[in-house]
């Protein structure tokens, strides 16, 4: 069969099964097994076993459950409670202060956990009721939490970056370092938007009355920041200094999270039990998607579909940045309807070779890819942070309110994406300094 027809048949079948509601791991693995049996014969199904084993037993992939366990522990250690109370004490007097504090806490949490859900749920439970009680505009409060929580997959350590680096064969350490400046850029854009908007209209986010503001205790501030700062230093510092690999840094961070949980709660039995169960569930979901997508990638690579797509795109002779815009647009659409890991496993084997053929730096393209995935967390109908917020928001908040609240922050993230494209050193500068 012609390679073009095969490509249409493979990806058309995948789109159909996903539209029917088949879980993505089952759709990828099942289609791969069916097509391999038809085109290469039943004996070739051993490829699936070998591919799944080589990927699932990867040393780098071990960092995924470790970071999930670390995030789950921190979520139960009440560090977020301390951070919110402390920053609230410092900032709540100013208009928009609680919203700015929420972005700062989400940034710190992103640098500790590597996932988006922990900060979104924690701030949804802590910050949302406090902001609504203080008279904040619900759309501003909801959008702030959703946008701040999305930073978890961009600011290292990022589980999404680990999976991307494995699939694209790009240094995970360089991706981590490359994500620092864009992550801080987006956090800065969010804060600037909140400050400017509330400065022009204080009624959107009024400050607390003086009677409600407690005395600032900077010793308490220091005590609150010691544990988060220590964890960030342990994980990122060990990677940047070359003292530990990504997986070793994840193990060090897990030990640090255990100690932080003991320090905060005096016991770790129940938090460890709950964190272990959550880690098992999330890790198995990710691993099954990885295994199914690895099989799918082996199928369309073996049939020549990946090479066909790359050659077809390059044959048009378009400006590289026009092609890049098209790839970013495709990823934005996929982010609205698919889970991030599945998008990486399906799209990266196709798009990464195209970007390299166009002469783009692989770390730069990888971080741009992650930024677009981050935008997908806020875009309806299936943005994950929208569902997290729906689960913790009060009944008076409608799904429509949540959808509308993220629109300004999505535009800010698109602005950040454009800045990183126009000024590539925003991404590549730190990796060059750190790795040469």
């Amino acid at each position: 069969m012609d390679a073009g027809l095969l490509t249409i048949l493979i990806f058309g079948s995948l789109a159909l099964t996903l539209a029917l509601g088949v879980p993505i791991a089952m759709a990828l693995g099942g289609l791969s097994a069916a097509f391999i049996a038809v085109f290469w014969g039943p004996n070739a199904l051993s490829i699936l076993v070998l591919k799944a084993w080589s990927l699932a037993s990867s040393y780098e992939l071990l960092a995924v459950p470790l970071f999930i366990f670390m995030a789950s522990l921190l979520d139960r250690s009440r560090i977020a409670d301390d951070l919110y109370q402390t920053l609230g004490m410092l900032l709540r007097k100013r208009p928009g202060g609680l919203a700015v504090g929420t972005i700062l806490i989400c940034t710190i949490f992103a640098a500790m956990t590597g996932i988006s859900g922990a900060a979104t749920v924690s701030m949804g439970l802590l910050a949302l009721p406090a902001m609504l009680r203080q008279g904040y505009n619900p759309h501003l409060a909801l959008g702030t939490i959703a946008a701040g929580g999305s930073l978890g997959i961009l600011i290292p350590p990022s589980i999404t970056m680990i999976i991307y680096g494995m699939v694209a064969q790009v240094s995970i350490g360089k991706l981590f370092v490359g994500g620092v400046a864009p992550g801080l850029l987006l956090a800065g854009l969010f804060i600037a938007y909140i400050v400017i908007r509330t400065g022009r209209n204080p009624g959107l986010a009024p400050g607390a009355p003086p009677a409600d503001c407690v005395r600032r205790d900077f010793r308490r501030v220091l005590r609150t920041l010691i544990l988060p700062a220590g964890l960030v230093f342990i994980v990122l510092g060990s990677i940047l200094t070359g003292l530990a690999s990504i997986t070793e840094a994840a193990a060090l961070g897990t030990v640090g999270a255990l100690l932080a949980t003991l320090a905060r709660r005096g016991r770790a039995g129940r938090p460890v039990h709950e964190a272990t169960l959550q880690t098992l569930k999330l890790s198995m979901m990710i691993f099954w998607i990885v295994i199914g997508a690895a099989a799918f990638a082996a199928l369309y690579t073996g049939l020549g579909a990946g090479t066909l797509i790359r050659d077809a795109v390059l044959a048009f002779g378009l400006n590289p940045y026009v092609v890049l815009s098209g790839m970013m647009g495709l990823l934005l659409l996929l982010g609205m309807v698919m889970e991030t890991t599945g998008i990486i496993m399906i799209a990266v084997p196709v798009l990464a070779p195209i970007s390299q053929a166009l002469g783009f730096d692989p770390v730069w393209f990888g971080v741009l890819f992650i930024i677009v995935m981050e935008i997908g967390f806020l875009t309806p109908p299936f943005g994950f942070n929208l569902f997290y917020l729906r689960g913790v928001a009060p009944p008076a908040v409608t799904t429509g309110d949540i959808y509308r609240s993220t629109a300004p922050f999505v535009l800010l993230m698109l602005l950040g994406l454009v800045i990183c494209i126009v000024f590539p050193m925003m991404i590549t500068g730190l990796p060059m300094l750190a790795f040469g």
Side-chain angles (χ1 to χ4, degrees):
M1 185 181 292
D2 179 72
L5 292 176
L6 274 175
T7 303
I8 294 172
L9 179 61
I10 292 170
F11 285 96
S13 301
L14 177 62
L16 177 61
T17 52
L18 292 177
L20 292 174
V22 178
I24 186 168
M26 300 301 105
L28 292 168
L31 285 174
S32 302
F35 278 111
I36 287 174
V38 169
F39 291 109
W40 296 338
N43 291 336
L45 290 173
S46 60
I47 295 174
L48 301 183
V49 179
L50 296 173
K51 191 74 175 177
W53 172 256
S54 66
L55 193 61
S57 60
S58 167
Y59 178 67
E60 289 81 5
L61 199 59
L62 182 60
V64 172
L66 287 173
F67 277 128
I68 293 175
F69 184 65
M70 176 182 167
S72 301
L73 275 178
L74 292 173
D75 191 32
R76 290 160 175 78
S77 67
R78 297 178 183 169
I79 289 178
D81 302 51
D82 282 354
L83 284 171
Y84 189 72
Q85 290 173 12
T86 301
L87 289 178
M89 174 184 69
L90 295 174
L91 300 171
R92 66 183 300 176
K93 190 175 180 179
R94 299 179 178 277
L98 289 181
V100 171
T102 298
I103 296 295
L104 292 174
I105 294 171
C106 288
T107 304
I108 295 171
F109 238 66
M112 292 192 297
T113 62
I115 59 177
S116 171
T120 306
V121 173
S122 295
M123 290 299 98
L125 293 171
L126 292 170
L128 182 59
M131 286 192 278
L132 294 179
R133 280 197 305 269
Q134 198 162 306
Y136 273 54
N137 178 280
H139 290 173
L140 179 63
L142 291 164
T144 297
I145 294 170
S150 70
L151 295 170
I153 68 168
L154 178 60
I155 296 176
S158 165
I159 291 172
T160 305
M161 283 185 176
I162 295 173
I163 297 172
Y164 179 93
M166 290 178 55
V167 177
Q169 296 296 297
V170 177
S171 166
I172 298 172
K174 290 183 178 180
L175 287 172
F176 273 19
V177 180
V180 172
L184 295 178
L185 169 67
L186 291 183
L189 288 174
F190 297 157
I191 291 173
Y193 167 75
I194 293 167
V195 170
I196 292 172
R197 192 173 178 199
T198 56
R200 301 176 78 175
N201 185 1
L204 290 174
D212 292 344
C213 296
V214 298
R215 182 176 62 88
R216 298 181 180 182
D217 183 349
F218 287 99
R219 286 176 298 180
R220 176 183 172 185
V221 173
L222 289 175
R223 286 198 303 268
T224 303
L225 292 176
I226 284 175
L227 283 177
L231 282 172
V232 173
F233 177 78
I234 287 172
V235 176
L236 292 185
S238 61
I239 295 172
L240 293 178
T241 57
L243 295 176
S245 66
I246 301 297
T247 304
E248 291 165 345
L252 288 172
T254 301
V255 173
L258 279 168
L259 295 176
T261 303
L262 282 170
R264 279 291 296 115
R265 303 193 60 165
R267 58 187 176 85
R270 184 173 179 182
V272 168
H273 176 71
E274 294 174 348
T276 302
L277 291 178
Q278 185 177 19
T279 301
L280 180 64
K281 292 177 183 177
L282 291 177
S283 298
M284 289 303 97
M285 180 189 74
I286 292 173
F287 277 34
W288 273 115
I289 293 174
V290 167
I291 290 170
F296 191 77
L299 168 69
Y300 70 69
T301 301
L303 292 175
T307 304
L308 176 71
I309 295 172
R310 183 196 65 193
D311 293 344
V313 171
L314 297 178
F316 285 104
L318 298 174
N319 183 286
Y321 287 94
V322 173
V323 179
L324 178 68
S325 300
M327 290 192 287
M328 296 295 105
L330 173 64
L331 293 173
L332 284 170
L333 292 175
L334 291 176
M336 294 180 182
V337 296
M338 284 182 64
E339 192 271 336
T340 302
T341 304
I343 297 174
I344 290 174
M345 299 302 295
I346 294 170
V348 169
V350 176
L351 300 185
I354 295 174
S355 72
Q356 292 179 24
L358 293 171
F360 294 133
D361 182 274
V363 173
W364 178 72
F365 180 79
V367 175
L368 293 180
F369 191 108
I370 300 299
I371 294 174
V372 177
M373 294 298 96
E374 183 182 358
I375 297 173
F377 274 76
L378 302 186
T379 50
F382 298 123
F384 272 80
N385 279 14
L386 307 179
F387 289 117
Y388 293 144
L389 270 183
R390 177 65 279 171
V392 298
V397 174
T398 67
T399 302
D401 290 332
I402 296 174
Y403 284 177
R404 287 189 291 273
S405 71
T406 60
F409 294 93
V410 168
L411 293 176
L412 290 171
M413 294 166 85
L414 289 172
L415 173 61
L417 178 67
V418 172
I419 291 173
C420 290
I421 292 174
V422 175
F423 303 102
M425 287 295 288
M426 179 70 67
I427 294 172
T428 59
L430 281 179
M432 289 171 63
L433 289 174
F435 296 95

